[in-house]
Amino acid sequence: MTNFAVLIDLNSMRLSYESFAKAISGIDGKVAYAKLYGYNNKRNNDFNAFIKSYGAEVALPVSNRKKVRIDIRQVIDAVTIACTRSNIDAFFIVCSELDSIAMINALKKLGKKVIMGISSPSFVAEQCDGYVLIERAFPDDDDKKSESKSVKEDKKDSQVEFLPYSGVQQTSQQDEMDKIKQELAMILEGKRRQKSEIEMGQSVLQLDELLKKYF
């Protein structure tokens, strides 16, 4: 029986567990290793039964990663597993197809069979030993509206809670601003006095030098 390493980027298609389960049932072999990338416990908790059953590893989302690009951790893991785990015969991979060709070619050169989970037949699929069609899951319109509303509310709240640069809570905005202005004015006045005192001291010294020189 063919032993598969299953490497799934959950964010590449916003993959639901239902779609994932259908895809797994479509591969001819045994899941010997599994890892899920971009795993979020709240959004992907329906994968928990699979994680426990297969002892799957998880990798948390990368905050600054562009969604259209492949997760480099997945590439590194794939090549490492191919080189170090002799019991793995094949890979079942779901990822962003952009930039995935290099990983596919590397695995095939190492003698591994590669099956891709994709939303539709493409040039990338032709480079593999096979593919399984997966339904791409997107939030419905209501979810999108709710998410957009939530983001707007968060932005509004962040603007209301704090004054720019001060970190002062805006419970009494005008009073706090007045205090800050007064403190700045006092600091500036102190600087002016300090400068004046220094200049006066320098003038006295200069006058003293002149008196010593000529008298």
Side-chain angles (χ1 to χ4, degrees):
M1 180 178 289
T2 303
N3 288 328
F4 274 86
V6 176
L7 306 180
I8 308 295
D9 183 355
L10 296 173
N11 286 331
S12 63
M13 296 183 185
R14 293 291 183 186
L15 190 62
S16 67
Y17 180 73
E18 183 180 358
S19 298
F20 171 74
K22 288 180 181 178
I24 288 294
S25 66
I27 65 174
D28 184 17
K30 173 187 174 184
V31 178
Y33 174 83
K35 187 168 184 178
L36 308 179
Y37 301 83
Y39 173 83
N40 181 298
N41 189 45
K42 291 183 179 179
R43 186 175 64 239
N44 307 122
N45 57 13
D46 50 347
F47 285 83
N48 289 347
F50 171 84
I51 292 170
K52 292 179 180 178
S53 297
Y54 290 91
E57 297 181 13
V58 297
L60 300 178
V62 178
S63 60
N64 61 347
R65 175 191 162 200
K66 294 181 180 179
K67 292 181 180 179
V68 296
R69 302 301 295 270
I70 194 168
D71 191 327
I72 191 63
R73 299 172 299 178
Q74 191 177 26
V75 178
I76 294 171
D77 287 342
V79 175
T80 301
I81 291 167
C83 292
T84 60
R85 300 197 179 196
S86 58
N87 65 314
I88 298 297
D89 308 304
F91 285 80
F92 176 66
I93 296 175
V94 176
C95 67
S96 174
E97 294 184 35
L98 185 65
D99 295 337
S100 65
I101 293 293
M103 176 176 62
I104 294 168
N105 290 339
L107 295 176
K108 292 179 71 174
K109 286 180 180 179
L110 291 168
K112 305 300 179 181
K113 181 180 179 181
V114 181
I115 307 296
M116 288 283 289
I118 57 175
S119 58
S120 61
S122 64
F123 169 75
V124 173
E126 295 174 0
Q127 310 306 307
C128 302
D129 298 291
Y131 63 87
V132 176
L133 291 177
I134 297 179
E135 183 179 354
R136 184 183 290 273
F138 289 108
D140 58 31
D141 291 338
D142 291 337
D143 289 340
K144 288 181 179 179
K145 289 178 182 178
S146 176
E147 183 178 354
S148 176
K149 182 179 179 181
S150 176
V151 170
K152 288 179 180 179
E153 288 177 350
D154 288 343
K155 288 182 178 179
K156 183 179 179 181
D157 290 342
S158 66
Q159 291 172 355
V160 170
E161 287 179 0
F162 298 96
L163 297 173
Y165 307 108
S166 67
V168 178
Q169 292 193 357
Q170 213 171 14
T171 53
S172 54
Q173 179 177 352
Q174 190 59 47
D175 291 343
E176 296 295 347
M177 287 297 294
D178 289 341
K179 288 180 182 178
I180 292 170
K181 289 179 181 178
Q182 289 174 7
E183 290 175 3
L184 289 173
M186 290 174 64
I187 291 171
L188 291 173
E189 181 61 27
K191 292 290 185 183
R192 291 192 191 99
R193 289 178 181 175
Q194 185 179 12
K195 183 179 179 181
S196 178
E197 289 172 358
I198 291 172
E199 290 176 347
M200 184 179 294
Q202 289 176 343
S203 298
V204 170
L205 290 174
Q206 290 173 354
L207 179 59
D208 186 54
E209 290 295 327
L210 288 172
L211 291 171
K212 288 179 182 180
K213 184 175 182 180
Y214 295 104
F215 298 96

